[in-house]
Each structure stands twice: as structure tokens, then as C-alpha cells.
Amino acid sequence: MTKTLKCISPIDGSVFAERPVLSAPEAEAVARTARDAQPAWSAHPLQDRIDLVMAGVAAVGAMNDEIVPELAHQMGRPIRYGGEFGGFNERASHMAEIAQGALANIEVSDDGDFHRYIRRVPHGVVLVVAPWNYPYMTAINTVAPALIAGNSVVLKHSTQTLLVGERMAAAFHSAGVPKEVFQNIFVDHVTTSHLIGNRSFDFVNFTGSVGGGQAMERAAAGTFTGVGLELGGKDPGYVMEDADLDAAVDTLIDGAMFNSGQCCCGIERIYVVEALYDQFVEKAVSIVNGYKLGNPLDPETTIGPMAHTRFANEVRGQIAEAISGGAKAHIAPFAEDDGGAYLTPQILTEVTHDMRVMREESFGPVVGIMKVKDDAEAIALMNDSEFGLTASLWTKDIERAQRVGDQIETGTVFMNRADYLDPALCWTGCKNTGRGGGLSVIGYHNLTRPKSYHLKKAH
């Protein structure tokens, strides 16, 4: 009997889509075709690869009216937000713009006797394992630069967003990217691990849970296959006494609650200096009480269901434990909270780092707010985490922000903004957030390997 992957819609718990998985031999055959096709793709002039990839990106954009409600069905994001094409296009466009420079030879010397230089060459076949929370934007972070750099790409998407990989592959194929060069596959975890362990891929990029990242590393152990990992966070915000309070509240609460809190770099902990604490909490509660929880297909809905009931239950568990431990919940249950995927967004105060809600990744619409007396206390609390993806600092003093930022264990330091991925900067993290880096020039370095040329001229 053929095993199938099923996308359960958070809207009503129905099966929205299902696809049969490939057997291990079938999946191995896909990987072989990707490997066979890669040299010819790499031999294309760089500008041709750039043009084909950007045509594929545009073809995804042409599908946006169909994609937006499809995403609502698959993972619950309200249609009012218009999907992901803006960020999808911004990231791909930037990587296309910098490709010539990022992939150019590094010239060392060219004199009468020697020509010495370092070339960036593609790894070969890149596996991209993408998550459901921002399924198009997280995938394009690697898909676009990997293809531009001359790799072939195999995309494995989350079961929760089962149709995204199909959409992307169809769009890129329609634009002229060869089918064997960019393939979407449906495989289970066992087959994925088998392929990695069998050296079917030359580089693996995974975005997901810590447990998933550990599984990827175990599968790759001893193969010397490169693995890039982005495994989540517990991102803090710190509001200093000279902050623009309204901007800080608006941005940090949006960063905590947008997409039902299901953002890799969402704000999960907020530390506010004593002088602004009461005002911050009051304004934050007012914002959240103004949200409309409901069906994501309703244009009036501002916060939809979480992607799966089990995710919502994990957040409910963290909230309940915190309250039993002395935390104060500020948001009364919304009428639309059904005890399943539809979850009341919550603000907690009187929290401590002994509580899971301030320690473990919540990945849902809840945030704890703590009062701090100074930078030293805020830094200690921000660093008291197993994760390190982003941190958001709120002050008018850029030198102070840099000084504090230098002491935070994180991949990105924001000042007076949050929850934004700038494709010109390296997207990276530390500690249990993972390793490696995407986008920027460094993204190209991770998707290629250096190859040195030491050429002695004949006389």
C-alpha cells in the first residue's frame, strides 16, 4: 500500500491535499537525474541562469491570486495579508543582483610567471528542506542562489504546505529552468535520511525544529556533506528608557503575534526598562484586544488559526504552566477560541525564566514581558536562552545599541525594528538556532566551494 502525505487544513480539520510518497529507489532516481543534469546547467553563462531563475520567480508571482487562499487553507494565514510574493521577489532579486560580484573569481596575482586565483564552484546537488510557516520565502532563500550558482536543486517541502513545492517547480519549469535541474519531491523522513546518508546530495539546507536539525546531522554523519541549519529561536526585544514607546509597542507586538506567532524570528520575550514598563504593557494589551480571530478566508480576520491543533496545544500548555507558576494573563479568552487550532493571543507578565514560556520556543501568539532595571540585566536575560537568531533593541542612541548588541549572543541585532529579513545581510544564528548562513554574499559562499588555480606560465 502506497504511503501518502496529508495536509490537514487548520481551518476545519479537513484533508486539504494529499500526495503519495516516493519509495527509496524512486527518490534515488530523482537524485541521480539531478546530478546528471547539473554539469550542463552549470555550464550555462551565469547571466542566463540569473535570467531563468528570475523568470521563474515572476511565474510564481503570476500565480499569487491562487496561492494566497491556498496558503490560508494549508497553514492558516489570513488572506488580508496578501501572501509572500513581496518578500519572495525581494530576496530572489537581491541575490540575482549581487551574483556576478559574489561569484566572481578572487584574483590573487597575474604576472609574468603565474596566474593565481580562487574560483567559486557549485557543490553539485543541493537538497532544500523547507518549513511551512513562510513556505515560499524560506524556500527561495536557498533555491534562487543555489540555482544561480550552478547547482541543481531538490526541494522537499513540509507536509503542512504540501502544494508549495509543486507550485514553485511548475513555475520555474514554465520559465525554462530544466525539469531535472529543479525538482520537487514527496518523501518521508526515513527516505530523506537514507538519501542524505547515501551521499545523494552535496549540500543540505534545512529550516525547522532543533530535533529535525539533529536528524539531518545524524543522517549526514561521516558523509562530509555540508549541512546548513536554521532551527528556530526565542527572540528577545529590549525597550530602553529613550525608546519611541509607541513604535516599540506596535513593532514588537506585531512581531510577536503576526502569522499567529509562527515566525522563525518572531518576538517571544520582551524586556522593558522600569520607567516605561506599565505604559508598554497597557498599550500592548490594547493592541491585542483589537485583533479579530477567525477564518483566514474572511478578509476581516487579522489573526487566523495556528497551522495545526498540536501546535496550539503546545502554546496552551506553556501558558497554563506559566499561570499556575504565578504569571498574569492579560487577554480574556476570545469567543472564537475553539480549544483547537483557533487560539486566543496572549500577553503574560510576572513571568520568570523558570517558566517554559520564557525558555522554550513557543512558535505561537504569546509573549512574556518582564521589567528590567538596566542594560546589564537585560543583556543577561537576553543571553539566558539556548537559541540565538535575532534581538530587537529600542533606543535613540545607536552607539548604545551597538554596545549592547556586541554583548548579545545572536545572529542579527535589530535597532528600532524587528522580524525582518534583509537579503543584503547574512541570515544566521548561533547556539541551538543552528549554523551556516543564508542570503547575502555569504549565502553564495555557503552554496559553493572554493577552488584554487595556481597556473605557472610556460616561456
Side-chain angles (χ1 to χ4, degrees), residues 179-190:
K179 289 185 177 181
E180 295 79 9
V181 167
F182 179 31
Q183 300 184 69
N184 175 67
I185 58 170
F186 299 110
V187 290
D188 60 19
H189 297 323
V190 172

Side-chain angles (χ1 to χ4, degrees), residues 24-25 71 98 133 137 199 233 278 407 448:
L71 281 178
I98 68 169
N133 61 319
M137 289 198 290
R199 295 187 177 181
D278 290 339
Q407 299 173 71
T448 56

Side-chain angles (χ1 to χ4, degrees), residues 376-427:
E377 183 180 15
I379 291 164
L381 287 168
M382 285 189 280
N383 285 340
D384 183 26
S385 173
E386 66 183 59
F387 297 106
L389 185 56
T390 80
S392 176
L393 308 179
W394 289 81
T395 175
K396 295 183 175 68
D397 185 340
I398 191 167
E399 292 182 357
R400 182 181 179 187
Q402 291 170 324
R403 191 166 60 248
V404 171
D406 286 345
Q407 299 173 71
I408 303 171
E409 297 159 353
T410 189
T412 295
V413 176
F414 290 114
M415 173 180 161
N416 299 333
R417 74 177 313 173
D419 193 22
Y420 171 69
L421 197 160
D422 182 342
L425 297 174
C426 183
W427 189 242

Side-chain angles (χ1 to χ4, degrees), residues 17 126 188 251 295 445:
V126 173
D188 60 19
T251 303
N295 189 317
H445 289 179

